[in-house]
Amino acid sequence: MMRFSHAETASFAELRHDEVSLRLSERREAETSPWGALAYRFDILVAGERAGTISLRIGTSYLLTHLAGQIGFSVEPPFRGRGLARKAVLALLPAARAHGLDELWLTTTEDNLASRRTLEKLGCSFVERVPVPENYVSYAQGEREKLRFRLALDRGP
């Protein structure tokens, strides 16, 4: 059974936006995280039913700000098209702020139109295209370029 500190449980207990709530499901220390950073994974819940996942990665390494992103999300097919990824990101923003982040970097690919629409609706600013290095995991899956977006937390989306 996974254990979380009382402070984490308390601070993450109220992460919600509209009909979306987040439930902490995993915490990874930087030493065991594939991103080399403290990372949290949450279940995205709608009416108590798991609709997807969202992750928050605490750090500002090149890997996080240019390739993986500080936030990653996935919505299950039956729940798509309802704006749940956007609402999950909005629900997660207090946790990012609590960790001292004043901006978030999110990445996607040219062909991921749903993710790009989510980032646009959040008010993210497109910053640049970056090449995917040959030693990065998604390169083997055919990715050659990432699109970088910035979300300023001082003004909110």
Side-chain angles (χ1 to χ4, degrees):
M1 178 168 180
M2 204 167 310
R3 302 252 183 230
F4 303 107
S5 73
H6 177 71
E8 283 175 328
T9 304
S11 67
F12 294 152
E14 293 300 319
L15 295 178
R16 56 182 72 248
H17 184 83
D18 291 343
E19 77 272 26
V20 167
S21 61
L22 304 181
R23 177 179 61 207
L24 184 61
S25 62
E26 184 178 6
R27 180 185 198 271
R28 293 185 118 179
E29 295 296 331
E31 300 78 28
T32 61
S33 161
W35 308 281
L38 175 62
Y40 300 96
R41 174 174 271 177
F42 299 85
D43 292 325
I44 300 170
L45 304 174
V46 176
E49 191 173 353
R50 186 177 175 279
T53 62
I54 187 166
S55 298
L56 174 63
R57 304 164 191 133
I58 309 300
T60 56
S61 68
Y62 183 87
L63 174 65
L64 293 179
T65 61
H66 288 71
L67 299 172
Q70 292 169 303
I71 289 183
F73 49 80
S74 176
V75 176
E76 298 296 328
F79 293 92
R80 292 180 182 165
R82 297 168 42 187
L84 299 179
R86 182 185 69 81
K87 292 173 185 177
V89 171
L90 292 173
L92 194 56
L93 295 184
R97 287 184 183 105
H99 278 282
L101 298 173
D102 58 4
E103 65 182 7
L104 289 170
W105 291 95
L106 297 96
T107 64
T108 190
T109 56
E110 182 77 35
D111 62 339
N112 191 339
L113 299 178
S115 180
R116 290 174 59 194
R117 275 193 303 274
T118 297
L119 300 180
E120 290 166 5
K121 288 180 181 180
L122 282 165
C124 294
S125 302
F126 172 73
V127 175
E128 65 182 335
R129 298 169 182 272
V130 294
V132 173
E134 290 182 26
N135 64 345
Y136 187 62
V137 65
S138 67
Y139 188 91
Q141 301 162 350
E143 285 186 6
R144 298 298 181 263
E145 188 174 68
K146 290 282 191 176
L147 306 180
R148 290 182 70 217
F149 290 82
R150 179 181 174 273
L151 178 61
L153 298 185
D154 53 350
R155 62 177 167 78

